[in-house]
Amino acid sequence: MGRKKLLVGNWKMNKTILEAEVFAKASLDLSAFAEQREIEIGVCPTFLGLKTVKEINPKLIVGAQNCSEFDHGAYTGEIAIPMLKEIGINWCLVGHSERRSYYGETNEHCNAKIKALIAADMVPLYCVGETLDQFEKGETKAVVEEQIRIGLSGLSADDVRNLVVAYEPVWSIGTGKNASKEIAQDVCGYIRKLLRASFGENAEKIRILYGGSVKPVNVKEYLSEPDIDGALVGGASLAVESFRELIANIGE
Ligand code: 13P
């Protein structure tokens, strides 16, 4: 069963609303270009940019970078899922390593958010990956296993139909030290095995992305691996030209 290729830009805390608007206008061409190549594309702007980007280019997947696991209430500074849905946002990153390391997000928080997103019929893009220290100690698979086991606990095979997982080794994020395609495939293949053990054949439908210093020059090597269905890209997703090159280099 073919999994459609997926390229998602995580803009992190970059681009004002006006800057996001400029990208969104240019992305109309990008969407057409990606469609010809049968690649789905998306971006995750800040909360402020979501509505503008989605309105300008409804074809683009537009995802939030985070959400609350609660629907409403006394949670100062948080954004709830119904608020996202009201402005047409159906995707959301969960557990990005920057949220885990700077804001104390745990696998249990991720699990609550993923459950809330699935209950709201949204697509969670769940990020996992080990730190440099864990990598050097050979703990990668144990760390990822725990992130997957706890993060996805209590979900049924039907629940994970729309789930997307991103493997982002922390040591490769923003460092220019991208993981080799062999390492990336080894871990993404392992993630698929874990998903199969929990969700049976529905695991074949779950797209697994690699993220960490993905650039136009290296994107294709990841996509040619059997268990890597796309990329989650930070820095190289910010400029329209670089985004276009990513699409072009993934190829048909
Ligand atoms: P870079 O592509 O800038 O390394 O960031 C990767 C990332 O964290 C995407 O979520």
Side-chain angles (χ1 to χ4, degrees), residues 40-110:
E40 261 193 287
I41 60 167
V43 292
C44 300
T46 70
F47 287 122
L48 292 177
L50 291 170
K51 188 165 188 272
T52 308
V53 175
K54 189 70 193 172
E55 277 174 0
I56 293 173
N57 187 353
K59 282 197 173 167
L60 200 57
I61 290 168
V62 182
Q65 296 173 17
N66 182 32
C67 66
S68 170
E69 63 265 50
F70 305 110
D71 261 8
H72 60 87
Y75 302 102
T76 302
E78 292 291 286
I79 298 286
I81 290 169
M83 299 170 187
L84 298 172
K85 291 203 79 176
E86 189 181 78
I87 57 167
I89 302 305
N90 298 315
W91 285 58
C92 187
L93 300 184
V94 177
H96 189 278
S97 68
E98 287 147 21
R99 300 238 30 107
R100 292 176 187 265
S101 63
Y102 305 147
Y103 305 101
E105 255 182 49
T106 62
N107 289 326
E108 287 78 8
H109 289 131
C110 294

Side-chain angles (χ1 to χ4, degrees), residues 219-237:
V219 69
K220 194 176 172 79
E221 53 191 84
Y222 296 108
L223 271 287
S224 55
E225 294 294 329
D227 287 299
I228 304 178
D229 307 307
L232 181 57
V233 186
S237 74

Side-chain angles (χ1 to χ4, degrees), residues 8-12 93 96-98 125 127 166 168-170 172-177 210-215 231-238:
V8 178
N10 173 10
W11 288 352
K12 310 190 179 187
L93 300 184
H96 189 278
S97 68
E98 287 147 21
L125 200 169
C127 306
E168 299 203 305
V170 180
S172 74
I173 295 177
T175 58
K177 291 185 193 148
Y210 167 76
S213 297
V214 173
K215 308 286 174 209
L232 181 57
V233 186
S237 74
L238 291 169

